[in-house]
Amino acid sequence: MADPRDSSPRTSAPDLEILGDQVTLHPSGYVEPPARAQDGDKERNLVEHMARFRSSPLEFLREVSLHVSGSGWRAYDHYIGQPIFYTGFSENMMAAVLSTPILQKRITELAEKRIAVEEKEGLLRKDDPLYAVKRVQRKMVIEQSLNELCEKLTGDMICKMESKPFIRSAYYLCTQLLTRAYHQGIHVSSEEVIRLRTVAEKAEKNKQSIIFLPCHRSHVDYVSMQIICYRLGLALPTVVAGDNLNIPLLGGFLQHAGAMWIRRSFGDDILYTTLVQSYIDTLLQGGFNFECFIEGGRSRTGKLLPPKFGILSFILDSILSGRVEDTIICPVSTQYDKVIETEGYVGELLGVPKKKENLADFLSASSVLSLKLGRVDVRFHEPWSLRQFIQDQQARTTGIPKGIDMKSISDPATRQKLLRTLGYKVLSDINAVSVVMPTALIGTVLLTLRGRGVGKAELIRRVEWLSDRVRSKGGRVAHFGNAPTSVVIERGLDVLGKDLVGLVEGLPEPTYYAVDRFQLSFYRNMTIHLFISEALVSASMYLRVKRGGGPDNQRISYDELREQVLFLSQLFRGEFIYPTEGLAVNLDNTLKGLEADKVIELTRDEEGKITAVGLSEVERIAGRENYDFYCFLIWPFIEASWLAAVSLMGFSPPLGYKGDGWLDSAKCQSSSQLLGKTLYHQGDLSYFEAVNKETLKNAWARFEDEGIMLVAKSRNTKILPRAKLAPEWMPQRNPQTGAIVSEGRLWDFIEKIAQSRREGKNRRDGATVSSRVLRHTETIAQNLFMDTMAETNLSEEDKLLLKKKQARRQALQSRAHL
């Protein structure tokens, strides 16, 4: 494939020679004087607020003319990477995809299978004298039909980087829109982008792809990465996107800017699966840059989601099969002062059905035009070779130091383990370079303090303490030159707005309080990964701390602490990413760290072995503020797991129930939310964010892994998953009253979780709580069993009407709680 780019020598990316300190670049190319960054980091703002026609018509027209004419870096003629944005790009790519051996082999296999079916059905008879000729002709017709289908699917799927004038205009348009929302631009680390360009130059020579694997919090993620690559002179990646975004106008625009559309679910479509693999093979073989979101969908909770392995498995298979020699992995963290969609996320998490993607809704949202969303911070982890990663993992398990032994990784279980390790390594790398924004610091402080609000001086003190703790844990805090903490906090409060953080006026000191704790929890969750070990230890210590009394009464033995930490760690295995050293080493390191911070005191025997753990005298005098901080971080998640477990008690079929016990899985999870809302408003649940759908969903997935829940799934998307309790976890019912009995294996499991729950006014009397909570649990679950029995006796039309009625009822309930 000939390179259509200008043959003139490539110049360096604009202004990249200014490396020593933080620099600020304006769209016009003007460079502000360097400013020393905090923590020794070197940062630059790639995109600043652009000129507006109303306020600066001449500057606006000047910027437009520069982009239209392709002046300087705007021409995008000397990017690093394989040829893109030329006439015929799509045709060349489509021809390459359709001619891949694996796709042609699959088409042949499917044609043979169809021939076998027709022979079995008597449509092709072997005793026919012309059987051989007819068979060949019929096979050719089937293969031609499949090839035509593949051609259509490929045309709908592939990105269409055809026009250089288009991408110049798209860059300018997207930058205009982005700076209206994020008026302080996109910030990157100068050191990281220089390293990335160096890797890109080497990858271009070796004809290797760079695979960007970002976290996913907003639709803006798509735009920001493309803008960064364009501005830095890197070949734009092909971005994997769900076809739900392929809507009129926007879909075509994104596809010509680099988006490839794939279905949200492949089901049993073998041909489509092979077609996607063929396209990815073609991209990686050609050295084209590639991008997909490691979490799959957007995180609605603010923290990283477990990795999705679909696209990652295609990439891994390209290497393991030998079809691709190597590719470069680059984990990416994208952090926002404020995410545009958080208000919508709250509704989805409370059960309001997700709205269909709509361009008009996005562009007309008041938040997009508010100019109050702050800035975007993007960080790039050091890129690494996927082939080298596979070799390293293989060496650990097989002892083979060099090469990839295909026999040792042909086993599905081995491949799955390798895939999981790869996914969680990417998440760990993203966490390692993530920047904690001021809004996250403020949200974390406001949601981890006892009381209704906090004075300004105390808010400043706790934000400074938290910033120091983030840095001490190896994290990064967004920096703002030499601005004092008070100024940074004012800026963060301004971005969050009065809808999230309120100000009590008329007091001797400005006092702030959380208005929307649910939405504010999104920003708190951006810091929890840094302190998950401390949070688990603190919640486990709460077994004794909540008893009150003197230090001896609150001290916990090391063995008891270790047992509870192990239990909680396993409970949240799908929720958080833990250090890789293992439980014993991680626990000891965490205890020593908390001891050094004077949060706890450790009792040791004569050999120096830890025997007991308790709060330090310094921490007691300080009112347990640091210890409570760690507890407040994880308590909402503990409550969510407790809620999910309690709701399972209701899934014991009523006495005399005639059904098989299977229930609609989605309805079961909705019933958990309804139970949570009831318990919250009646005082049996401390945190309303514990009823959020994502956390409950993760808890249910964990229960399924442990064998507590049995879930029947089908690849047929029309058949909904069903769930029921495993027999050995089924609670008993009183034979006289039919009421659920608060005992048994499941109840013991619930009590184990409850030991680390936050105490409250209605949760000290276990008997009262169990009777009241189980009464609500059973009432809600009874409706599920009644609906299930009713549906079995309905016609298909009546079932559809019932489902619509139930969906409307659920939506109304969720909106009422909003």
Side-chain angles (χ1 to χ4, degrees), residues 385-400:
S385 160
L386 179 55
R387 185 176 187 84
Q388 186 62 51
F389 166 81
I390 297 172
Q391 291 176 352
D392 292 344
Q393 293 301 311
Q394 189 176 49
R396 291 180 183 178
T397 55
T398 65
I400 301 175

Side-chain angles (χ1 to χ4, degrees), residues 203-314:
E204 180 188 36
K205 292 178 183 178
N206 297 332
K207 207 175 183 181
Q208 292 176 348
S209 303
I210 297 177
I211 299 179
F212 296 100
L213 297 175
C215 57
H216 197 14
R217 289 194 169 93
S218 169
H219 284 318
V220 178
D221 297 337
Y222 300 101
V223 180
S224 60
M225 269 299 298
Q226 298 298 80
I227 286 177
I228 288 172
C229 288
Y230 189 101
R231 186 68 178 87
L232 296 178
L234 302 177
L236 299 191
T238 297
V239 186
V240 179
D243 57 6
N244 60 306
L245 284 176
N246 191 9
I247 56 181
L249 297 180
L250 180 63
F253 178 88
L254 293 177
Q255 194 170 22
H256 283 81
M260 63 169 281
W261 303 119
I262 62 168
R263 298 173 186 168
R264 305 293 288 182
S265 175
F266 293 4
D268 291 322
D269 196 332
I270 300 174
L271 181 63
Y272 188 79
T273 301
T274 306
L275 187 61
V276 173
Q277 180 71 72
S278 300
Y279 185 30
I280 291 176
D281 282 354
T282 302
L283 290 170
L284 301 188
Q285 288 166 357
F288 296 97
N289 292 342
F290 189 69
E291 177 186 347
C292 72
F293 296 103
I294 186 66
E295 303 160 280
R298 292 169 292 163
S299 170
R300 268 73 170 170
T301 61
K303 68 177 188 61
L304 284 179
L305 302 176
K308 288 292 192 295
F309 301 109
I311 297 297
L312 215 56
S313 66
F314 287 124

Side-chain angles (χ1 to χ4, degrees), residues 637-769:
F637 295 93
I638 292 176
E639 285 229 307
S641 293
W642 176 84
L643 171 61
V646 165
S647 68
L648 298 184
M649 292 289 290
F651 301 151
S652 172
L655 295 179
Y657 181 70
K658 303 295 185 181
D660 55 10
W662 288 101
L663 299 170
D664 186 307
S665 184
K667 290 181 181 178
C668 289
Q669 293 184 32
S670 296
S671 73
S672 296
Q673 282 195 293
L674 181 57
L675 174 64
K677 293 169 185 177
T678 305
L679 298 180
Y680 173 78
H681 288 297
Q682 294 188 2
D684 290 308
L685 206 65
S686 292
Y687 301 97
F688 193 49
E689 58 261 41
V691 307
N692 90 71
K693 186 169 66 174
E694 286 298 324
T695 307
L696 288 173
K697 183 179 177 182
N698 289 339
W700 274 61
R702 192 75 193 92
F703 298 158
E704 182 184 350
D705 291 341
E706 290 297 314
I708 302 174
M709 289 291 298
L710 303 178
V711 180
K713 300 177 182 177
S714 172
R715 288 196 173 187
N716 186 343
T717 56
K718 294 182 179 179
I719 301 177
L720 299 175
R722 299 180 301 153
K724 73 175 181 177
L725 272 175
E728 60 271 23
W729 289 86
M730 191 74 69
Q732 299 299 313
R733 288 183 176 272
N734 186 306
Q736 281 75 41
T737 65
I740 298 174
V741 180
S742 56
E743 58 183 41
R745 188 176 181 184
L746 179 56
W747 186 254
D748 292 342
F749 176 73
I750 294 169
E751 288 289 273
K752 186 76 171 175
I753 300 174
Q755 288 180 331
S756 292
R757 281 182 76 210
R758 181 186 179 187
E759 284 285 5
K761 62 178 182 178
N762 291 339
R763 291 190 298 279
R764 295 188 185 275
D765 184 352
T768 304
V769 172

Side-chain angles (χ1 to χ4, degrees), residues 10 89 120 262 292 335 339 419 442 486 626 783 789:
R10 177 184 293 140
F89 173 84
K120 189 175 180 179
I262 62 168
C292 72
Q335 304 294 328
V339 173
L419 186 61
I442 294 169
S486 59
N626 296 337
N783 293 330
M789 287 301 296

